[in-house]
Amino acid sequence: MQGDPNHKEMLKFAFLNGKPGQSFEIYYHSEEFKATKEIVDTVERKSGRMLDVGSGIGVTSVAFSLQGFHVDAVEPETGPLTGRKGMEDLIEEVSKSCSLQLAMHTGYLSEVNLPPGYDVAICRQVAHHFADPVRDLSQIRALLRPGGKAILIRDHVIYDDEDKERFLREHPMQSFYKGENAYKKEDYVRFAEEAGFEVERVISFTESPMNYWPSTAEQIAIVGENVAGRPYSFVLKNPELPITGEAEAP
């Protein structure tokens, strides 16, 4: 697939072309990162820690480390295109000119020992791959501080079984590794609530470049949601601890 010129642009913007430095520069200056940062900036920084679940080659991890977060990047893959080797190459390149606070952890979240207290957890194009979404979201919530937020970014949404069949048929990667998946919007909300989250915001496909970049708002205005597996994003809040010890009103 990498040698096919028909897939060159798709791989470039999916950060799958084997050029982590280029991928980072594209992401860091993208409308998607700008929109994601706007949401992250609404979260009060108490610990200054961010969890990046399914970090891939680390473009989001490095981007938010440059914003002052100490980032723990968790990724089970180890190769150069989607995993640890790609992240190592990216960190080496960026570290030549910038100081990063970033730790890599190879494995699934359940296999990695991390202390709780994160302000933010980022899951970019990850939640639709969870083997057990409620379990995995529960693990993420357990690592957040009270009031911390998880941001699920660019998760595929389908309307019904027929729409899912269309999505799997049209997704360019599905024929290569058979690992794609999608859920209804209501399913993501249910998974999050069953995991103990408060669903603070559902961001539809056409609402934000978090979902439709590298397309433009003008292009999306023409097609609307008529896109197979249109990505949505979700902002989830770990509930605040109840306030105790206050005197009851008479």
Side-chain angles (χ1 to χ4, degrees):
M1 189 176 191
Q2 278 206 306
D4 187 343
N6 295 323
H7 292 116
K8 184 177 180 180
E9 283 298 292
M10 185 275 289
L11 292 172
K12 175 182 174 181
F13 287 105
F15 312 139
L16 293 171
N17 65 354
K19 299 177 181 179
Q22 180 192 72
S23 295
F24 171 72
E25 288 297 326
I26 291 172
Y27 176 73
Y28 196 58
H29 296 98
S30 71
E31 290 298 308
E32 180 194 335
F33 175 63
K34 180 181 177 181
T36 304
K37 182 178 178 297
E38 287 175 356
I39 294 175
V40 169
D41 285 345
T42 67
V43 183
E44 182 181 0
R45 294 197 191 189
K46 292 187 176 181
S47 67
R49 298 167 60 214
M50 173 181 283
L51 177 64
D52 187 359
V53 180
S55 53
I57 62 169
V59 294
T60 53
S61 297
V62 172
F64 281 105
S65 180
L66 292 177
Q67 299 301 309
F69 279 97
H70 178 96
V71 181
D72 283 297
V74 180
E75 171 57 54
E77 299 293 331
T78 58
L81 288 181
T82 60
R84 184 183 179 98
K85 181 60 171 67
M87 186 183 298
E88 288 173 345
D89 292 343
L90 176 58
I91 290 172
E92 180 180 2
E93 184 171 339
V94 175
S95 294
K96 293 175 182 177
S97 57
C98 303
S99 177
L100 299 175
Q101 299 183 89
L102 197 162
M104 294 181 289
H105 307 272
T106 303
Y108 292 99
L109 189 60
S110 59
E111 301 168 336
V112 177
N113 185 22
L114 295 170
Y118 291 93
D119 291 324
V120 185
I122 293 282
C123 304
R124 184 183 184 272
Q125 295 182 319
V126 171
H128 58 277
H129 291 297
F130 285 156
D132 184 334
V134 175
R135 179 200 64 194
D136 294 333
L137 287 171
S138 296
Q139 292 172 353
I140 292 170
R141 190 177 74 82
L143 290 169
L144 289 170
R145 64 165 173 80
K149 295 184 183 180
I151 308 172
L152 313 184
I153 302 168
R154 299 174 76 104
D155 275 305
H156 295 300
V157 166
I158 45 93
Y159 299 143
D160 50 34
D161 290 342
E162 182 179 351
D163 194 34
K164 185 172 183 177
E165 289 177 7
R166 175 198 173 193
F167 161 67
L168 294 175
R169 185 172 61 250
E170 295 184 12
H171 194 289
M173 302 298 293
Q174 177 65 8
S175 61
F176 290 90
Y177 81 114
K178 306 296 182 183
E180 280 304 327
N181 192 26
Y183 294 104
K184 296 177 183 178
K185 176 186 69 175
E186 295 78 12
D187 289 332
Y188 288 106
V189 171
R190 176 172 56 83
F191 297 151
E193 291 177 341
E194 289 183 7
F197 279 109
E198 298 172 357
V199 179
E200 195 168 78
R201 185 178 173 191
V202 176
I203 305 171
S204 68
F205 173 61
T206 60
E207 188 178 343
S208 172
M210 283 178 71
N211 299 321
Y212 60 69
W213 177 84
S215 297
T216 66
E218 291 75 19
Q219 291 170 323
I220 295 304
I222 296 172
V223 299
E225 292 225 344
N226 188 25
V227 175
R230 71 286 302 156
Y232 275 46
S233 297
F234 303 81
V235 182
L236 315 178
K237 182 178 179 180
N238 188 22
E240 300 278 1
L241 289 174
I243 298 173
T244 60
E246 292 186 351
E248 294 185 5

